[in-house]
Amino acid sequence: MLSHKCTNGNDSTFQHRALVFGATGYTGNYLVKRLTERGVETYAHIRPGSSKASSQAPVFEEFGAKVSLEDWNEEGIRELVRSVQPTLVFAVLGTTRSRMKVLRKNGGSSHSGSYEAVDYGLTAMIHRACEAMEDSPRFIYLSSMGVKAGTRMPYLAVRWRMEQELRDGKSPWTIVRPGFITGSDREEFRFGERAGAMVSDGLLALTGWMGGRRTRQKYRSITGDELAKGMIRWALSKDGCNKVITTVDLWENS
Ligand SMILES: NC(=O)c1ccc[n+]([C@@H]2O[C@H](COP(=O)([O-])OP(=O)(O)OC[C@H]3O[C@@H](n4cnc5c(N)ncnc54)[C@H](OP(=O)(O)O)[C@@H]3O)[C@@H](O)[C@H]2O)c1
């Protein structure tokens, strides 16, 4: 096990520099917004082929962030990390089953858009770039509730593997494991997630009313903005270094 050096935490005068991957997503968007609001020098990575590139880039620039359209390849990502010299790297990207379906329909290879290739492959690529730095940044990884050893679901299994790589590397890390990330402000309507969150939040409200406050906090859904604020709070705190953050932790001091 390497050292995972945790520096710069809890020092309010320290000037952080953040690099966000998956910036065009629901959570990533709020991360860029809230980081810049806090005065953190922020870089937002947008994949060159993203359908959101032309609409999101000016929004990020208006927030005060710098935008990178670096290609997704080993050299490009390594060079981006080397040139930005971030102290915090946020990895909040991932595909969905509906995206995979569209890719297959359009004749794309099922591997290139899989959880293995995107959720694991691209995140691992960012992590290797961080590991190559002399002063590795803190790697803040958006994982998921339910991730554990031996899981057979591909979505959770690739996250467990990525989490293990973080623990085995030298870069300091913060792993965040939320439940449903959803809200009426999500641009893309996801019926399954919204319906699932509404049912479980309803049942949990009842549990909370009956005294199960902690259970409610553990499983309730979270919006992109609430998640981004929680992630930033833990990323800037020494207590969040080399720690797995659950939904309960995200609500703490929020
Ligand atoms: N939704 C939930 O309930 C939930 C719960 C726990 C964990 N998570 C995980 O948390 C992460 C963020 O969630 P979210 O809801 O904020 O995500 P989201 O809105 O779906 O955004 C996903 C991000 O990943 C990027 N991405 C997708 N496919 C890509 C590809 N092939 N190559 C490069 N970039 C790609 C997207 O970029 P483009 O804009 O360019 O497509 C976008 O920036 C995901 O990994 C998700 O699986 C989600």
PDB file of all heavy atoms in Angstrom, residues 192-220:
ATOM      1  N   GLY A 192     -37.127   5.903 -15.016  1.00  0.00           N
ATOM      2  CA  GLY A 192     -36.819   4.866 -14.023  1.00  0.00           C
ATOM      3  C   GLY A 192     -36.252   5.464 -12.743  1.00  0.00           C
ATOM      4  O   GLY A 192     -36.698   5.145 -11.632  1.00  0.00           O
ATOM      5  N   GLU A 193     -35.280   6.359 -12.914  1.00  0.00           N
ATOM      6  CA  GLU A 193     -34.622   6.948 -11.750  1.00  0.00           C
ATOM      7  C   GLU A 193     -35.573   7.827 -10.949  1.00  0.00           C
ATOM      8  O   GLU A 193     -35.619   7.774  -9.725  1.00  0.00           O
ATOM      9  CB  GLU A 193     -33.443   7.803 -12.212  1.00  0.00           C
ATOM     10  CG  GLU A 193     -32.126   7.048 -12.205  1.00  0.00           C
ATOM     11  CD  GLU A 193     -31.036   7.857 -12.875  1.00  0.00           C
ATOM     12  OE1 GLU A 193     -31.066   9.103 -12.818  1.00  0.00           O
ATOM     13  OE2 GLU A 193     -30.167   7.219 -13.470  1.00  0.00           O
ATOM     14  N   ARG A 194     -36.365   8.641 -11.679  1.00  0.00           N
ATOM     15  CA  ARG A 194     -37.290   9.562 -10.995  1.00  0.00           C
ATOM     16  C   ARG A 194     -38.345   8.775 -10.227  1.00  0.00           C
ATOM     17  O   ARG A 194     -38.642   9.051  -9.080  1.00  0.00           O
ATOM     18  CB  ARG A 194     -37.986  10.497 -12.002  1.00  0.00           C
ATOM     19  CG  ARG A 194     -37.136  11.602 -12.522  1.00  0.00           C
ATOM     20  CD  ARG A 194     -36.816  12.668 -11.493  1.00  0.00           C
ATOM     21  NE  ARG A 194     -37.916  13.585 -11.218  1.00  0.00           N
ATOM     22  CZ  ARG A 194     -38.095  14.187 -10.055  1.00  0.00           C
ATOM     23  NH1 ARG A 194     -37.282  13.949  -9.057  1.00  0.00           N
ATOM     24  NH2 ARG A 194     -39.096  15.022  -9.881  1.00  0.00           N
ATOM     25  N   ALA A 195     -38.896   7.749 -10.927  1.00  0.00           N
ATOM     26  CA  ALA A 195     -39.957   6.955 -10.296  1.00  0.00           C
ATOM     27  C   ALA A 195     -39.382   6.191  -9.103  1.00  0.00           C
ATOM     28  O   ALA A 195     -39.976   6.192  -8.012  1.00  0.00           O
ATOM     29  CB  ALA A 195     -40.557   5.995 -11.312  1.00  0.00           C
ATOM     30  N   GLY A 196     -38.215   5.567  -9.285  1.00  0.00           N
ATOM     31  CA  GLY A 196     -37.567   4.811  -8.198  1.00  0.00           C
ATOM     32  C   GLY A 196     -37.312   5.708  -7.000  1.00  0.00           C
ATOM     33  O   GLY A 196     -37.592   5.343  -5.854  1.00  0.00           O
ATOM     34  N   ALA A 197     -36.791   6.904  -7.288  1.00  0.00           N
ATOM     35  CA  ALA A 197     -36.462   7.836  -6.198  1.00  0.00           C
ATOM     36  C   ALA A 197     -37.724   8.293  -5.486  1.00  0.00           C
ATOM     37  O   ALA A 197     -37.754   8.397  -4.253  1.00  0.00           O
ATOM     38  CB  ALA A 197     -35.685   9.034  -6.741  1.00  0.00           C
ATOM     39  N   MET A 198     -38.802   8.533  -6.256  1.00  0.00           N
ATOM     40  CA  MET A 198     -40.033   9.020  -5.628  1.00  0.00           C
ATOM     41  C   MET A 198     -40.629   7.955  -4.705  1.00  0.00           C
ATOM     42  O   MET A 198     -41.052   8.252  -3.587  1.00  0.00           O
ATOM     43  CB  MET A 198     -41.041   9.450  -6.691  1.00  0.00           C
ATOM     44  CG  MET A 198     -40.737  10.849  -7.221  1.00  0.00           C
ATOM     45  SD  MET A 198     -41.540  11.203  -8.762  1.00  0.00           S
ATOM     46  CE  MET A 198     -43.114  11.739  -8.217  1.00  0.00           C
ATOM     47  N   VAL A 199     -40.629   6.716  -5.190  1.00  0.00           N
ATOM     48  CA  VAL A 199     -41.183   5.636  -4.362  1.00  0.00           C
ATOM     49  C   VAL A 199     -40.327   5.453  -3.113  1.00  0.00           C
ATOM     50  O   VAL A 199     -40.822   5.451  -1.978  1.00  0.00           O
ATOM     51  CB  VAL A 199     -41.266   4.309  -5.168  1.00  0.00           C
ATOM     52  CG1 VAL A 199     -41.615   3.149  -4.253  1.00  0.00           C
ATOM     53  CG2 VAL A 199     -42.293   4.439  -6.287  1.00  0.00           C
ATOM     54  N   SER A 200     -38.993   5.335  -3.309  1.00  0.00           N
ATOM     55  CA  SER A 200     -38.164   5.071  -2.125  1.00  0.00           C
ATOM     56  C   SER A 200     -38.144   6.273  -1.194  1.00  0.00           C
ATOM     57  O   SER A 200     -38.187   6.116   0.026  1.00  0.00           O
ATOM     58  CB  SER A 200     -36.756   4.621  -2.512  1.00  0.00           C
ATOM     59  OG  SER A 200     -36.107   5.640  -3.210  1.00  0.00           O
ATOM     60  N   ASP A 201     -38.132   7.499  -1.731  1.00  0.00           N
ATOM     61  CA  ASP A 201     -38.150   8.680  -0.850  1.00  0.00           C
ATOM     62  C   ASP A 201     -39.454   8.733  -0.056  1.00  0.00           C
ATOM     63  O   ASP A 201     -39.472   9.120   1.113  1.00  0.00           O
ATOM     64  CB  ASP A 201     -37.982   9.975  -1.656  1.00  0.00           C
ATOM     65  CG  ASP A 201     -36.540  10.172  -2.131  1.00  0.00           C
ATOM     66  OD1 ASP A 201     -35.659   9.415  -1.668  1.00  0.00           O
ATOM     67  OD2 ASP A 201     -36.301  11.057  -2.962  1.00  0.00           O
ATOM     68  N   GLY A 202     -40.570   8.336  -0.700  1.00  0.00           N
ATOM     69  CA  GLY A 202     -41.861   8.325  -0.014  1.00  0.00           C
ATOM     70  C   GLY A 202     -41.855   7.341   1.146  1.00  0.00           C
ATOM     71  O   GLY A 202     -42.247   7.672   2.270  1.00  0.00           O
ATOM     72  N   LEU A 203     -41.346   6.130   0.869  1.00  0.00           N
ATOM     73  CA  LEU A 203     -41.290   5.111   1.930  1.00  0.00           C
ATOM     74  C   LEU A 203     -40.340   5.556   3.044  1.00  0.00           C
ATOM     75  O   LEU A 203     -40.600   5.361   4.226  1.00  0.00           O
ATOM     76  CB  LEU A 203     -40.802   3.773   1.342  1.00  0.00           C
ATOM     77  CG  LEU A 203     -41.789   3.074   0.404  1.00  0.00           C
ATOM     78  CD1 LEU A 203     -41.129   1.881  -0.273  1.00  0.00           C
ATOM     79  CD2 LEU A 203     -43.036   2.619   1.173  1.00  0.00           C
ATOM     80  N   LEU A 204     -39.254   6.212   2.627  1.00  0.00           N
ATOM     81  CA  LEU A 204     -38.266   6.647   3.626  1.00  0.00           C
ATOM     82  C   LEU A 204     -38.799   7.794   4.489  1.00  0.00           C
ATOM     83  O   LEU A 204     -38.452   7.904   5.661  1.00  0.00           O
ATOM     84  CB  LEU A 204     -36.963   7.071   2.931  1.00  0.00           C
ATOM     85  CG  LEU A 204     -36.161   5.898   2.352  1.00  0.00           C
ATOM     86  CD1 LEU A 204     -35.099   6.403   1.383  1.00  0.00           C
ATOM     87  CD2 LEU A 204     -35.515   5.079   3.457  1.00  0.00           C
ATOM     88  N   ALA A 205     -39.646   8.627   3.874  1.00  0.00           N
ATOM     89  CA  ALA A 205     -40.230   9.724   4.660  1.00  0.00           C
ATOM     90  C   ALA A 205     -41.075   9.135   5.785  1.00  0.00           C
ATOM     91  O   ALA A 205     -41.047   9.600   6.921  1.00  0.00           O
ATOM     92  CB  ALA A 205     -41.083  10.611   3.756  1.00  0.00           C
ATOM     93  N   LEU A 206     -41.780   8.054   5.430  1.00  0.00           N
ATOM     94  CA  LEU A 206     -42.608   7.360   6.418  1.00  0.00           C
ATOM     95  C   LEU A 206     -41.719   6.761   7.513  1.00  0.00           C
ATOM     96  O   LEU A 206     -41.994   6.883   8.704  1.00  0.00           O
ATOM     97  CB  LEU A 206     -43.402   6.257   5.699  1.00  0.00           C
ATOM     98  CG  LEU A 206     -44.530   5.610   6.455  1.00  0.00           C
ATOM     99  CD1 LEU A 206     -45.638   6.616   6.724  1.00  0.00           C
ATOM    100  CD2 LEU A 206     -45.107   4.436   5.639  1.00  0.00           C
ATOM    101  N   THR A 207     -40.612   6.152   7.085  1.00  0.00           N
ATOM    102  CA  THR A 207     -39.669   5.568   8.045  1.00  0.00           C
ATOM    103  C   THR A 207     -39.137   6.662   8.972  1.00  0.00           C
ATOM    104  O   THR A 207     -39.028   6.476  10.183  1.00  0.00           O
ATOM    105  CB  THR A 207     -38.465   4.938   7.284  1.00  0.00           C
ATOM    106  OG1 THR A 207     -38.978   4.111   6.270  1.00  0.00           O
ATOM    107  CG2 THR A 207     -37.564   4.149   8.206  1.00  0.00           C
ATOM    108  N   GLY A 208     -38.807   7.830   8.371  1.00  0.00           N
ATOM    109  CA  GLY A 208     -38.279   8.945   9.159  1.00  0.00           C
ATOM    110  C   GLY A 208     -39.295   9.403  10.175  1.00  0.00           C
ATOM    111  O   GLY A 208     -38.983   9.652  11.335  1.00  0.00           O
ATOM    112  N   TRP A 209     -40.547   9.471   9.730  1.00  0.00           N
ATOM    113  CA  TRP A 209     -41.633   9.903  10.597  1.00  0.00           C
ATOM    114  C   TRP A 209     -41.799   8.935  11.767  1.00  0.00           C
ATOM    115  O   TRP A 209     -42.129   9.310  12.872  1.00  0.00           O
ATOM    116  CB  TRP A 209     -42.906  10.017   9.748  1.00  0.00           C
ATOM    117  CG  TRP A 209     -44.114  10.455  10.495  1.00  0.00           C
ATOM    118  CD1 TRP A 209     -44.372  11.710  10.982  1.00  0.00           C
ATOM    119  CD2 TRP A 209     -45.247   9.654  10.844  1.00  0.00           C
ATOM    120  NE1 TRP A 209     -45.579  11.736  11.601  1.00  0.00           N
ATOM    121  CE2 TRP A 209     -46.151  10.479  11.529  1.00  0.00           C
ATOM    122  CE3 TRP A 209     -45.585   8.320  10.632  1.00  0.00           C
ATOM    123  CZ2 TRP A 209     -47.362  10.021  12.006  1.00  0.00           C
ATOM    124  CZ3 TRP A 209     -46.792   7.851  11.108  1.00  0.00           C
ATOM    125  CH2 TRP A 209     -47.663   8.704  11.783  1.00  0.00           C
ATOM    126  N   MET A 210     -41.505   7.634  11.475  1.00  0.00           N
ATOM    127  CA  MET A 210     -41.644   6.620  12.524  1.00  0.00           C
ATOM    128  C   MET A 210     -40.367   6.484  13.365  1.00  0.00           C
ATOM    129  O   MET A 210     -40.224   5.561  14.158  1.00  0.00           O
ATOM    130  CB  MET A 210     -41.988   5.264  11.885  1.00  0.00           C
ATOM    131  CG  MET A 210     -43.441   5.202  11.426  1.00  0.00           C
ATOM    132  SD  MET A 210     -43.771   3.942  10.174  1.00  0.00           S
ATOM    133  CE  MET A 210     -43.120   2.493  10.893  1.00  0.00           C
ATOM    134  N   GLY A 211     -39.416   7.376  13.134  1.00  0.00           N
ATOM    135  CA  GLY A 211     -38.224   7.382  13.997  1.00  0.00           C
ATOM    136  C   GLY A 211     -36.951   6.898  13.326  1.00  0.00           C
ATOM    137  O   GLY A 211     -35.883   6.928  13.919  1.00  0.00           O
ATOM    138  N   GLY A 212     -37.047   6.435  12.096  1.00  0.00           N
ATOM    139  CA  GLY A 212     -35.840   5.919  11.425  1.00  0.00           C
ATOM    140  C   GLY A 212     -35.110   7.000  10.628  1.00  0.00           C
ATOM    141  O   GLY A 212     -34.917   6.868   9.425  1.00  0.00           O
ATOM    142  N   ARG A 213     -34.694   8.063  11.309  1.00  0.00           N
ATOM    143  CA  ARG A 213     -34.094   9.208  10.620  1.00  0.00           C
ATOM    144  C   ARG A 213     -32.808   8.810   9.874  1.00  0.00           C
ATOM    145  O   ARG A 213     -32.565   9.206   8.748  1.00  0.00           O
ATOM    146  CB  ARG A 213     -33.797  10.297  11.660  1.00  0.00           C
ATOM    147  CG  ARG A 213     -33.404  11.606  11.038  1.00  0.00           C
ATOM    148  CD  ARG A 213     -33.264  12.698  12.073  1.00  0.00           C
ATOM    149  NE  ARG A 213     -32.319  13.675  11.578  1.00  0.00           N
ATOM    150  CZ  ARG A 213     -31.044  13.655  11.838  1.00  0.00           C
ATOM    151  NH1 ARG A 213     -30.523  12.718  12.590  1.00  0.00           N
ATOM    152  NH2 ARG A 213     -30.235  14.584  11.336  1.00  0.00           N
ATOM    153  N   ARG A 214     -31.995   7.993  10.532  1.00  0.00           N
ATOM    154  CA  ARG A 214     -30.712   7.609   9.945  1.00  0.00           C
ATOM    155  C   ARG A 214     -30.924   6.746   8.692  1.00  0.00           C
ATOM    156  O   ARG A 214     -30.256   6.905   7.697  1.00  0.00           O
ATOM    157  CB  ARG A 214     -29.867   6.864  10.979  1.00  0.00           C
ATOM    158  CG  ARG A 214     -28.409   6.926  10.619  1.00  0.00           C
ATOM    159  CD  ARG A 214     -27.510   6.335  11.672  1.00  0.00           C
ATOM    160  NE  ARG A 214     -26.244   5.963  11.084  1.00  0.00           N
ATOM    161  CZ  ARG A 214     -25.281   6.824  10.800  1.00  0.00           C
ATOM    162  NH1 ARG A 214     -25.408   8.093  11.062  1.00  0.00           N
ATOM    163  NH2 ARG A 214     -24.159   6.410  10.223  1.00  0.00           N
ATOM    164  N   THR A 215     -31.921   5.857   8.755  1.00  0.00           N
ATOM    165  CA  THR A 215     -32.217   5.008   7.590  1.00  0.00           C
ATOM    166  C   THR A 215     -32.635   5.898   6.428  1.00  0.00           C
ATOM    167  O   THR A 215     -32.225   5.704   5.286  1.00  0.00           O
ATOM    168  CB  THR A 215     -33.363   4.017   7.921  1.00  0.00           C
ATOM    169  OG1 THR A 215     -32.994   3.325   9.084  1.00  0.00           O
ATOM    170  CG2 THR A 215     -33.636   3.061   6.793  1.00  0.00           C
ATOM    171  N   ARG A 216     -33.437   6.901   6.739  1.00  0.00           N
ATOM    172  CA  ARG A 216     -33.914   7.810   5.696  1.00  0.00           C
ATOM    173  C   ARG A 216     -32.714   8.521   5.045  1.00  0.00           C
ATOM    174  O   ARG A 216     -32.605   8.596   3.835  1.00  0.00           O
ATOM    175  CB  ARG A 216     -34.881   8.822   6.303  1.00  0.00           C
ATOM    176  CG  ARG A 216     -35.353   9.814   5.280  1.00  0.00           C
ATOM    177  CD  ARG A 216     -36.522  10.641   5.740  1.00  0.00           C
ATOM    178  NE  ARG A 216     -36.951  11.458   4.625  1.00  0.00           N
ATOM    179  CZ  ARG A 216     -37.051  12.775   4.678  1.00  0.00           C
ATOM    180  NH1 ARG A 216     -36.790  13.428   5.776  1.00  0.00           N
ATOM    181  NH2 ARG A 216     -37.429  13.444   3.608  1.00  0.00           N
ATOM    182  N   GLN A 217     -31.811   9.024   5.903  1.00  0.00           N
ATOM    183  CA  GLN A 217     -30.655   9.748   5.379  1.00  0.00           C
ATOM    184  C   GLN A 217     -29.754   8.844   4.545  1.00  0.00           C
ATOM    185  O   GLN A 217     -29.102   9.286   3.612  1.00  0.00           O
ATOM    186  CB  GLN A 217     -29.849  10.326   6.536  1.00  0.00           C
ATOM    187  CG  GLN A 217     -30.520  11.543   7.132  1.00  0.00           C
ATOM    188  CD  GLN A 217     -29.547  12.391   7.914  1.00  0.00           C
ATOM    189  OE1 GLN A 217     -28.619  11.859   8.493  1.00  0.00           O
ATOM    190  NE2 GLN A 217     -29.757  13.678   7.947  1.00  0.00           N
ATOM    191  N   LYS A 218     -29.729   7.571   4.925  1.00  0.00           N
ATOM    192  CA  LYS A 218     -28.832   6.636   4.256  1.00  0.00           C
ATOM    193  C   LYS A 218     -29.266   6.360   2.819  1.00  0.00           C
ATOM    194  O   LYS A 218     -28.448   6.182   1.937  1.00  0.00           O
ATOM    195  CB  LYS A 218     -28.809   5.330   5.065  1.00  0.00           C
ATOM    196  CG  LYS A 218     -27.699   4.403   4.682  1.00  0.00           C
ATOM    197  CD  LYS A 218     -27.563   3.316   5.711  1.00  0.00           C
ATOM    198  CE  LYS A 218     -26.668   2.201   5.197  1.00  0.00           C
ATOM    199  NZ  LYS A 218     -26.690   1.051   6.071  1.00  0.00           N
ATOM    200  N   TYR A 219     -30.593   6.290   2.601  1.00  0.00           N
ATOM    201  CA  TYR A 219     -31.061   5.819   1.296  1.00  0.00           C
ATOM    202  C   TYR A 219     -31.749   6.866   0.434  1.00  0.00           C
ATOM    203  O   TYR A 219     -32.061   6.601  -0.717  1.00  0.00           O
ATOM    204  CB  TYR A 219     -32.010   4.626   1.489  1.00  0.00           C
ATOM    205  CG  TYR A 219     -31.323   3.435   2.103  1.00  0.00           C
ATOM    206  CD1 TYR A 219     -31.584   3.043   3.410  1.00  0.00           C
ATOM    207  CD2 TYR A 219     -30.378   2.715   1.374  1.00  0.00           C
ATOM    208  CE1 TYR A 219     -30.931   1.963   3.982  1.00  0.00           C
ATOM    209  CE2 TYR A 219     -29.718   1.629   1.936  1.00  0.00           C
ATOM    210  CZ  TYR A 219     -30.005   1.260   3.240  1.00  0.00           C
ATOM    211  OH  TYR A 219     -29.347   0.193   3.790  1.00  0.00           O
ATOM    212  N   ARG A 220     -32.012   8.047   0.974  1.00  0.00           N
ATOM    213  CA  ARG A 220     -32.809   8.997   0.188  1.00  0.00           C
ATOM    214  C   ARG A 220     -32.035   9.512  -1.024  1.00  0.00           C
ATOM    215  O   ARG A 220     -30.796   9.504  -1.058  1.00  0.00           O
ATOM    216  CB  ARG A 220     -33.295  10.144   1.061  1.00  0.00           C
ATOM    217  CG  ARG A 220     -32.185  11.024   1.582  1.00  0.00           C
ATOM    218  CD  ARG A 220     -32.722  12.047   2.549  1.00  0.00           C
ATOM    219  NE  ARG A 220     -33.198  13.213   1.862  1.00  0.00           N
ATOM    220  CZ  ARG A 220     -33.329  14.418   2.424  1.00  0.00           C
ATOM    221  NH1 ARG A 220     -33.014  14.588   3.692  1.00  0.00           N
ATOM    222  NH2 ARG A 220     -33.744  15.431   1.735  1.00  0.00           N
TER     223      ARG A 220
END
